[in-house]
Amino acid sequence: MKIDQKIITKFDELIEAGKRVLNSRRSRSGPGYTVIGDDAVNPELSNQWGISCLNILGRVLGKDSDHYKRFHGLFSQFDDYTPVLTAQGILNGAKSDYEDGFLFETRTLIQAEVFDDFLEEAKHLLDNSYHAPAAVIAGSVLEDGLRKLSIRKGITLSAKPKLDTMNAELAKSGAYNMLTQKKITALADLRNKAAHGKWTEFTAADVEQMIVQIRAFMEDHFT
């Protein structure tokens, strides 16, 4: 499962959990007495839910985000129904903003972190004399980066877009210049050679430079 989908799935799970907290609503009044004020909710459920929500909001959006600050400001009141209802709305809004791409900086930073993890894996393989698999992994990072960059630029993609096609469309859109397009073409060629077993046509040094260039490209466009 891709990281975007994992995050959205977690939001969905917490939204459903929030509904269960709201469904635990009960009046504070009893036989012979009336309590004027807000209804109560199950405090164990509400506090467990609130901590989980703050965790994802803090990790995905950051503790300086409006969503996190507003939710955190309500947390101490989670014995009451109305603050939980308001917090559920904040959580729904955070999920919607993430899905719609309004949290662009957050999404970009997450993608950059994932790309870096895979490039580190490629570097590890290269350091252990597995330069062909390293080239395949690094090339996959480049392809995924081009796909995400194309989506960001509003370029229409086929179900399985080819790297060369994305490269040409991105250069045409002004995402980068012709020199970068040529470099990406060369990197894609190296990846294809590795994937098709043409291992005598490139060296470990070529793969080392490939990883350096792909990392630089990702840093330019995803940090």
Side-chain angles (χ1 to χ4, degrees), residues 38-209:
D38 205 351
D39 286 345
V41 293
N42 184 300
E44 183 178 352
L45 281 179
S46 65
N47 281 277
Q48 181 180 0
W49 173 74
I51 290 170
S52 297
C53 291
L54 285 171
N55 183 42
I56 190 172
L57 291 172
R59 292 177 63 186
V60 174
L61 280 68
K63 293 185 178 181
D64 291 330
S65 67
D66 289 340
H67 296 87
Y68 180 91
K69 289 178 179 178
R70 290 170 59 208
F71 196 102
H72 187 270
L74 294 165
F75 183 62
S76 63
Q77 306 170 54
F78 274 11
D79 287 351
D80 296 333
Y81 176 83
T82 301
V84 172
L85 181 63
T86 303
Q88 177 82 327
I90 293 169
L91 189 65
N92 276 302
K95 182 206 171 191
S96 178
D97 286 349
Y98 187 83
E99 286 183 309
D100 293 342
F102 296 132
L103 304 176
F104 171 73
E105 183 178 352
T106 296
R107 211 178 257 268
T108 300
L109 288 172
I110 291 169
Q111 291 167 352
E113 184 177 340
V114 173
F115 289 145
D116 191 60
D117 286 345
F118 279 107
L119 288 174
E120 283 298 320
E121 183 178 342
K123 183 66 167 58
H124 177 73
L125 288 169
L126 177 63
D127 290 343
N128 286 275
S129 302
Y130 296 103
H131 64 281
V136 174
I137 290 175
S140 297
V141 170
L142 177 63
E143 184 174 11
D144 196 35
L146 293 180
R147 184 182 298 107
K148 287 180 168 62
L149 192 56
S150 296
I151 293 170
R152 187 197 303 175
K153 295 295 183 180
I155 297 171
T156 302
L157 300 176
S158 63
K160 294 183 178 180
K162 293 184 178 180
L163 192 153
D164 287 342
T165 302
M166 291 187 290
N167 188 24
E169 290 298 321
L170 283 165
K172 189 187 301 182
S173 74
Y176 45 72
N177 58 30
M178 295 294 291
L179 178 60
T180 299
Q181 182 185 4
K182 289 179 180 179
K183 287 181 180 178
I184 290 175
T185 298
L187 293 170
D189 182 57
L190 200 161
R191 192 281 298 269
N192 289 337
K193 288 176 180 177
H196 292 92
K198 299 179 180 179
W199 301 324
T200 60
E201 297 185 21
F202 62 94
T203 66
D206 294 328
V207 179
E208 184 174 13
Q209 284 302 306

